[in-house]
């Protein structure tokens, strides 16, 4: 099973500042990496897939990069609605493998 | 707009079977994969398994012996059964859609909390 790790566990950022979140896979997942945003009491929402493609309706301040085992989600200028938990997820071993998520990074207000 | 809605008992006794249904509206269940994902309170996300509309399945080995996922295309529903539950199975259970191929979960239900307790 591919293990996903994320850092930091918590990121304190002021509104308007840049946030950089990291995700690492225990083995290469190529570019089959997604990022999700989850707010309290809500389901996760797809932000980025294919490591760098924004999902429909996602603002341009969200960007993803990386391939293989190292990935980054950048929020260029944090808005109040961006304070949430962010999860990365690999889907590289479709169709017969296990999809795995990272433990999440909580972005809170500094 | 595709919408997913999970439904089922919110309380299940230990050793019994958890049964949930995901109803898809605004689109067809056909031609897609439908996964179940769970999240214990205050914790991260765990993929449970998926079913293709045709009926083929893939389960997380950590839960495989206790899971059954089924689909009813006539009702636009998929279902999860998890047997022999314990307190560790207490979680919010989500259903989510993904497309054929290497694709992420693009639509999610709102989730339903299932508590395992006597």
């Amino acid at each position: 099973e591919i293990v996903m790790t994320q850092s930091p566990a918590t990121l304190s950022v002021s509104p308007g500042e840049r946030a950089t979140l990291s995700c690492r896979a225990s083995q290469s997942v190529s570019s089959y990496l997604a990022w999700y945003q989850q707010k309290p009491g809500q389901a996760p929402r797809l932000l980025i897939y294919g490591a760098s493609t924004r999902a429909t309706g996602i603002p341009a301040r969200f960007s993803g990069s990386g391939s293989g085992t190292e990935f980054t989600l950048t929020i260029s200028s944090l808005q109040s609605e961006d304070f949430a938990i962010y999860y990365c997820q690999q889907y590289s071993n479709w169709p017969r493998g296990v999809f795995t998520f990272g433990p999440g990074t909580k972005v809170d207000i500094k | 707009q595709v919408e997913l809605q999970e439904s089922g008992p919110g309380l299940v006794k230990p050793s019994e079977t958890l049964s949930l249904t995901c109803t898809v509206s605004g689109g067809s269940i056909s031609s897609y994969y439908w996964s179940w994902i769970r999240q214990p309170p205050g914790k991260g996300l765990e993929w449970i398994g998926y079913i293709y509309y045709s009926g083929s399945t893939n389960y997380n080995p950590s839960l495989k012996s206790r899971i059954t996922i089924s689909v009813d295309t006539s009702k636009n529903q998929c279902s999860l059964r998890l047997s022999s539950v314990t307190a560790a199975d207490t979680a919010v259970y989500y259903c989510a859609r993904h497309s054929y191929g290497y694709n992420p979960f693009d639509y999610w239900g709102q989730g339903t909390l299932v508590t395992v307790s006597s």
Side-chain angles (χ1 to χ4, degrees):
Chain A
E1 177 178 311
I2 298 173
V3 177
M4 307 300 291
T5 57
Q6 291 185 243
S7 62
T10 302
L11 185 62
S12 296
V13 184
S14 298
E17 289 188 340
R18 183 186 193 92
T20 302
L21 289 65
S22 295
C23 173
R24 176 176 290 180
S26 61
Q27 64 190 74
S28 177
V29 299
S30 185
S31 293
Y32 302 125
L33 189 284
W35 290 94
Y36 301 86
Q37 176 194 68
Q38 187 178 35
K39 297 180 181 179
Q42 296 184 16
R45 175 176 73 143
L46 177 65
L47 296 177
I48 300 283
Y49 64 94
S52 61
T53 301
R54 279 190 301 279
T56 302
I58 301 304
R61 64 180 181 273
F62 292 92
S63 63
S65 63
S67 66
T69 61
E70 302 280 345
F71 301 89
T72 300
L73 174 70
T74 301
I75 311 170
S76 60
S77 177
L78 269 154
Q79 306 298 302
S80 58
E81 62 266 30
D82 301 335
F83 293 97
I85 298 175
Y86 293 82
Y87 294 96
C88 62
Q89 177 241 333
Q90 66 79 20
Y91 48 95
S92 68
N93 42 16
W94 178 87
R96 302 309 306 170
V98 178
F99 302 137
T100 50
F101 292 86
T105 290
K106 182 179 181 180
V107 177
D108 66 16
I109 300 175
K110 188 173 183 180
Chain B
Q1 176 76 346
V2 174
E3 294 188 354
L4 287 65
Q5 179 68 58
E6 303 89 348
S7 59
L11 181 64
V12 181
K13 290 183 168 56
S15 79
E16 296 190 343
T17 296
L18 178 161
S19 295
L20 296 174
T21 297
C22 175
T23 301
V24 180
S25 59
S28 174
I29 205 166
S30 297
S31 303
Y32 290 100
Y33 288 85
W34 304 91
S35 274
W36 287 92
I37 296 156
R38 70 180 182 179
Q39 184 172 37
K43 296 189 178 181
L45 299 158
E46 178 183 32
W47 175 76
I48 297 170
Y50 70 61
I51 190 163
Y52 193 39
Y53 78 102
S54 62
S56 62
T57 56
N58 182 30
Y59 298 151
N60 190 323
S62 68
L63 297 166
K64 187 173 184 176
S65 63
R66 299 196 289 134
I67 301 171
T68 302
I69 299 177
S70 58
V71 65
D72 186 336
T73 55
S74 67
K75 295 182 179 179
N76 242 27
Q77 293 178 335
C78 66
S79 298
L80 168 71
R81 288 173 57 86
L82 177 65
S83 63
S84 305
V85 298
T86 69
D89 294 310
T90 293
V92 175
Y93 286 76
Y94 296 100
C95 59
R97 189 189 85 166
H98 44 123
S99 300
Y100 183 91
Y102 295 89
N103 286 296
F105 305 115
D106 57 359
Y107 284 93
W108 294 65
Q110 67 184 27
T112 187
L113 174 63
V114 179
T115 301
V116 178
S117 174
S118 56

